[in-house]
Structures are given as structure tokens and as C-alpha cells.
């Protein structure tokens, strides 16, 4: 007869049903719901402040000074200041102002410590508000997770690690509740990036989803109260999705390949420049800021289109790009992809922010550029471009499919087959390509060895795990 008992010394298997029925877990659900309110308010305020900086510095201020649109050189001094502020924050304040976005989403390193949160907020606000090409999702995840963990430790200093993990996850869920257009999509991004599965998925997801739903309501309420906006990614005008055809399915293959190759080049720029940043952080980051500003200036001088299309995350510029797709020539789209890609790679190497939105913007530009191919209609082209670029940059195929299809609204389901093909091809090509850039510098802050809380880290996706030396 087979012995079904567990080996001596083996950890007991998790029983989700009994844990969910426990008083402690029910208390965690209540705490997650309560934490979702203040953390969502903080996230909303963070996004509102970053948006105010962008509007004032790149719209209101130059309009008042020059009685019209900002001159083409306007971004250069602000990007230099951005580099200076981010570099000083990383080098002078506790922590590393968050993870380097050049390494993708960092998981398994534990939530940010309370003392690290000011550096994360300052560096992210400087990055987002002064024009670097990164998004707000990674800082929001770090801020939400750090606040959630801090709240648990303040309530109970000897709280078990599982409780801290659950509340940190709930804080992250609440912080990005509507940023990507849907609470479910933000939650899915966090869970796939963290590799949460099995019994742990149920235990962590329930408080997180609850906090995310509460956060979505808070964002709606704050918008109604302040009128500042929902800060949720959406396309008010989308091209109609047509039924999949054999040509559109076949074209998804080269789009997936192009997305993977373009993302590889962007990551090569980021990882090649990053060692120089570590050797001389302040001067090199300032120079990188100037180069990003010059990319935006060159784009406006050459094409006549505003430099803001090259700067920032692309979240606000994406709806305009899609709505006016017919107004962009192939040459302008190629230059937009070139300058945005260079600025994106340079921003990844030294600044602080997330990689999602710039990848979506560049992917949409790629899709519009190939939409004129025989048998390739615009909606499928945009969806496949976004899916391919996001998958290659994030290496999260399921999230990439959802990002591309949900963004297209009701017609997203129609183009799902093409998006899936492009994402799968992009994922395979990315896995086959060699790791871009030289080996990354090692330092005292090694997330592969220990997290910010000193707990062992889980392995990261990808064979070449770079070491965070910030």
C-alpha cells in the first residue's frame, strides 16, 4: 500500500479553503478593503501631480513666455534637470528609488521599505513630469506595495511574512486599479509578473482584487470631485475591427518578428548605456536627459509634429495617434518610432518608471505603419503591433494579449486571433535572440540574492538576470 503521508520535515501543504475560512484571513480581507481607499487616493494624487507638471512645464509656461507653441529646443533644459534630480535622488536618498526599468519588472524582492518610499516618489515624479519616456505603473506598484506593507507593520510589528505579502499585493492592486483601463488588467499584470500561481494565487488574489475594486471606485469619486480626469488608459476613437482573414493572420507573423527585433534594439541601448550610468551616475544621467530632449527636438524640426509625441510615457498621446492614424505618412511614423525608441532606451537605462506605456505607443506606431499592407486592416495592425511590442519588452504574453485587445474596446475580441499570433511569435523570437548588451554591473543591492526586506528572492524570468547596482 502506498504511503500518502508527507515526508518527515516537509512543509505542510497549503489548504486554501481552511485559510479562507479563518478569522485571520477574513480580517485581512477587511484590512485590504480599508487600505484600498487611502492608497488609491495617494495613487490618484501622484498621477495628478505628475500630469500637472507635464501640462504646466510643456504647455502653460511656454505659451505664456512665447505667445504660442513651445520652441523645438524647449525640452532640452527640462530633461537635463530631470536627469540631475533623478540621479541625485538615487544616489543620495535611502534605497535606490525603485528598480531599474532596464531590467523589466522586478519580482520576488519583497515590498519597498517605508524609508525608501520618498526616493521612489521623487524620482518617479521627476521622470514622469519632466519628460523622460517611461510610464507610471512600476512606481505605483512599488508605492502601493510599500504602503500596504508599512500599514501591516505599523498595526502589528511581528506580522507573519504571508500577511505582509498579502497586504503589499493588495496595496499594489489598489494603486494601479484603473491605470490600464480595467482593475482586472492591472491585477493580471501584477500576478503574471510575480509568477503567482496555485494555492498562493487564490490567497493573494482575493484581497488584491477587493482592494483593486475599491481603488477603482475611489478613482471615479476623485475624478467627480476634482475634475482632473480618471488617468485611465482609453481610446475614445478606435478603428472598426473586421473579421479575421488569412492575410491578416499571416501578416501578424512579421509584425511579431518586427516587434521583437525593435524591442531587442531598445533593450540593447538601455543595457549598453547602463554600466556607464553606474560609473558616473550624475553627469551621465544629465547627458542622457539632454540626448532625450534632443531626440524630441529633432523630431519636431524634421516633421513639424510636436515634440511631446516623443516625450513622456505615450499614454496621453496614444489616443491622438490612433484617431489621426490616416494623417501620418510612413516617413513620419518611422521617424517617430526611431526617436521614441532611442529616447525610450535611454530612459530605461537611468531613470525611474515603468516600461508598459512607451511599448504600447511604439507598438501602435508600428501597427499603423504596416496597416497599408494588402489584406491588413487598421484595427488588427494596431492590436498586433501593441501586443508584439509589449510581449517583447515585458515578456508577459498573457498580459500583452489582454493589453492589446481590451484597449480596442468592443472590437478587441474580433482581432484577438491576430494579436495572439503576433504575441506568440514575438515571445518565441525574443527567447531565441541573445541577451542584448554587456553583462550588467554587480553591486550591494542585488535583487537576485535578497529583496529589500532581506528575504530570499524568487528567480526571475529569463536566463540572464542582471544585478541591480543602484
Amino acid at each position: 500500500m502506498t504511503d500518502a503521508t508527507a515526508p518527515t520535515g516537509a512543509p505542510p501543504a497549503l489548504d486554501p479553503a481552511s485559510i479562507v475560512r479563518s478569522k485571520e484571513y477574513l480580517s485581512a480581507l477587511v484590512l485590504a478593503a480599508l487600505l484600498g481607499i487611502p492608497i488609491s487616493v495617494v495613487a490618484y494624487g501622484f498621477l495628478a501631480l505628475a500630469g500637472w507638471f507635464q501640462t504646466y512645464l510643456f504647455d502653460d509656461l511656454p505659451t505664456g513666455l512665447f505667445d504660442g507653441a513651445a520652441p523645438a529646443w524647449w525640452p532640452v533644459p527640462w530633461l537635463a534637470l530631470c536627469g540631475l534630480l533623478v540621479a541625485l535622488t538615487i544616489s543620495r536618498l535611502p534605497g535606490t528609488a525603485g528598480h531599474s526599468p532596464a531590467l523589466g519588472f522586478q519580482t520576488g524582492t519583497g515590498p519597498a521599505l517605508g524609508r525608501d518610499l520618498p526616493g521612489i516618489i521623487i524620482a518617479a515624479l521627476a521622470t514622469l513630469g519632466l519628460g523622460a519616456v517611461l510610464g507610471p505603473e512600476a512606481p505605483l506598484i512599488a508605492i502601493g506595495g510599500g504602503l500596504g506593507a508599512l500599514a501591516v507593520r505599523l498595526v502589528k510589528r511581528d506580522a507573519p511574512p504571508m500577511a505582509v505579502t498579502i497586504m503589499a499585493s493588495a496595496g499594489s492592486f489598489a494603486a494601479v486599479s484603473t491605470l490600464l483601463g480595467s482593475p482586472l488588467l492591472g491585477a493580471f499584470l501584477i500576478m503574471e509578473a510575480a509568477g503567482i500561481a496555485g494555492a498562493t494565487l487564490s490567497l493573494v488574489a482575493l484581497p488584491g482584487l477587493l482592494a483593486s475594486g475599491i481603488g477603482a471606485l475611489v478613482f471615479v469619486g476623485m475624478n467627480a470631485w476634482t475634475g482632473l480626469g480618471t488617468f485611465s488608459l482609453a481610446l475614445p476613437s478606435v478603428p472598426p475591427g473586421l473579421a479575421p482573414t488569412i492575410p491578416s493572420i499571416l501578416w501578424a507573423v512579421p509584425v511579431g518578428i518586427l516587434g521583437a527585433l525593435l524591442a531587442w534594439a531598445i533593450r540593447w541601448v538601455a543595457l549598453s548605456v547602463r554600466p556607464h550610468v553606474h560609473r558616473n551616475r550624475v553627469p551621465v544621467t544629465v547627458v542622457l536627459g539632454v540626448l532625450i530632449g534632443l531626440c524630441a527636438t529633432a523630431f519636431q524640426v524634421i516633421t513639424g509634429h510636436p515634440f511631446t509625441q516623443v516625450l513622456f510615457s505615450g499614454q496621453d498621446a496614444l489616443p491622438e495617434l490612433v484617431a489621426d492614424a490616416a494623417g501620418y505618412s510612413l516617413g513620419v511614423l518611422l521617424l517617430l518610432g526611431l526617436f521614441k525608441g532611442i529616447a525610450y532606451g535611454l530612459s530605461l537605462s537611468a531613470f525611474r518608471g515603468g516600461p508598459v506605456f512607451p511599448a504600447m505607443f511604439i507598438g501602435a506606431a508600428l501597427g499603423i505603419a504596416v496597416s497599408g499592407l494588402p489584406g491588413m486592416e487598421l484595427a488588427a495592425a494596431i492590436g498586433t503591433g501593441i501586443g508584439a511590442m509589449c510581449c517583447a519588452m515585458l515578456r508577459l504574453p498573457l498580459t500583452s494579449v489582454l493589453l492589446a485587445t481590451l484597449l480596442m474596446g468592443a472590437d478587441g475580441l474580433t482581432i484577438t486571433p491576430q494579436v495572439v499570433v503576433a504575441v506568440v511569435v514575438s515571445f518565441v523570437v525574443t527567447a531565441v535572440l541573445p541577451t542584448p548588451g554587456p553583462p550588467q554591473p554587480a553591486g550591494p543591492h542585488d535583487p537576485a540574492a535578497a529583496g529589500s526586506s532581506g528575504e530570499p528572492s524568487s528567480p526571475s524570468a529569463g536566463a540572464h538576470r542582471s544585478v541591480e547596482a543602484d
Side-chain angles (χ1 to χ4, degrees):
M1 186 173 70
T2 303
D3 185 5
T5 59
T8 304
L14 286 175
D15 182 6
S18 62
I19 294 177
V20 169
R21 289 193 297 264
S22 67
K23 180 180 177 181
E24 292 79 6
Y25 190 80
L26 295 177
S27 300
L29 287 175
V30 174
L31 182 58
L34 294 175
L35 284 177
I37 298 174
I39 290 177
S40 299
V41 171
V42 170
Y44 187 93
F46 173 87
L47 293 172
L49 187 56
W52 180 85
F53 277 126
Q54 293 178 10
T55 301
Y56 178 75
L57 296 177
F58 292 90
D59 188 8
D60 297 342
L61 181 59
T63 298
L65 290 176
F66 302 102
D67 296 324
W73 55 263
W74 185 254
V76 177
W78 295 112
L79 266 300
L81 176 61
C82 178
L84 178 63
L85 292 176
V86 171
L88 290 176
T89 301
I90 293 173
S91 58
R92 302 295 174 82
L93 292 185
T96 62
H99 293 298
S100 171
L103 306 179
F105 280 108
Q106 298 292 296
T107 60
T109 58
L113 299 177
R115 65 172 182 268
D116 298 341
L117 291 176
I120 294 173
I121 294 172
I122 293 172
L125 282 176
T127 295
L128 301 173
L130 295 176
V133 186
L134 291 171
E137 69 284 351
L140 283 178
I141 290 172
I143 293 169
L147 290 176
L150 179 62
V152 173
R153 293 187 177 113
L154 289 176
V155 172
K156 189 176 183 181
R157 298 186 63 87
D158 59 344
M162 177 58 76
V164 175
T165 298
I166 290 176
M167 288 301 104
S169 298
S172 295
F173 279 47
V176 295
S177 56
T178 64
L179 183 65
L180 298 174
S182 166
L184 182 61
L185 186 51
F188 204 90
L189 168 68
I190 295 173
M191 289 187 292
E192 188 178 15
I196 303 175
T200 305
L201 175 60
S202 301
L203 299 176
V204 174
L206 286 178
L209 290 173
L210 179 59
S212 183
I214 296 294
L217 291 176
V218 170
F219 267 64
V220 172
M222 292 294 291
N223 178 43
W225 179 48
T226 65
L228 296 176
T230 62
F231 304 108
S232 179
L233 179 64
L235 295 180
S237 175
V238 296
L242 304 178
T245 61
I246 293 178
S248 66
I249 294 288
L250 294 177
W251 282 124
V253 175
V255 171
I257 296 173
L258 286 174
L261 294 175
L262 182 56
W264 187 93
I266 291 171
R267 293 177 59 223
W268 181 86
V269 171
L271 295 175
S272 296
V273 173
R274 189 167 175 268
H276 301 286
V277 174
H278 285 268
R279 284 194 286 269
N280 297 282
R281 178 169 295 279
V282 174
V284 172
T285 308
V286 172
V287 170
L288 293 178
V290 171
L291 292 177
I292 294 168
L294 290 175
C295 285
T297 297
F299 176 74
Q300 178 165 316
V301 170
I302 295 172
T303 68
H305 288 263
F307 56 70
T308 52
Q309 291 186 327
V310 171
L311 300 180
F312 309 119
S313 68
Q315 178 184 357
D316 295 331
L318 182 57
E320 180 184 352
L321 176 70
V322 173
D324 194 30
Y328 288 84
S329 66
L330 179 60
V332 170
L333 289 170
L334 293 177
L335 286 173
L336 178 58
L338 173 64
F339 287 120
K340 186 84 170 182
I342 294 173
Y344 183 23
L346 296 177
S347 298
L348 287 169
S349 68
F351 295 84
R352 289 296 184 260
V356 174
F357 290 111
M360 296 181 71
F361 184 90
I362 295 173
L366 170 64
I368 296 171
V370 303
S371 62
L373 295 170
M376 187 59 154
E377 48 94 12
L378 182 58
I382 293 174
T384 54
I386 292 175
M389 274 298 302
C390 287
C391 182
M393 290 301 301
L394 307 178
R395 283 157 285 181
L396 303 174
L398 299 179
T399 298
S400 300
V401 171
L402 288 177
L403 279 170
T405 54
L406 293 181
L407 182 64
M408 301 302 290
D411 291 323
L413 291 177
T414 306
I415 64 170
T416 299
Q418 297 98 313
V419 173
V420 169
V421 171
V423 166
V424 170
V425 171
S426 176
F427 188 81
V428 172
V429 173
T430 301
V432 170
L433 289 172
T435 302
Q440 296 303 294
H445 302 283
D446 183 354
S452 57
S453 61
E455 297 172 355
S457 165
S458 63
S460 170
H464 182 75
R465 172 67 179 254
S466 300
V467 175
E468 177 66 78
D470 292 327

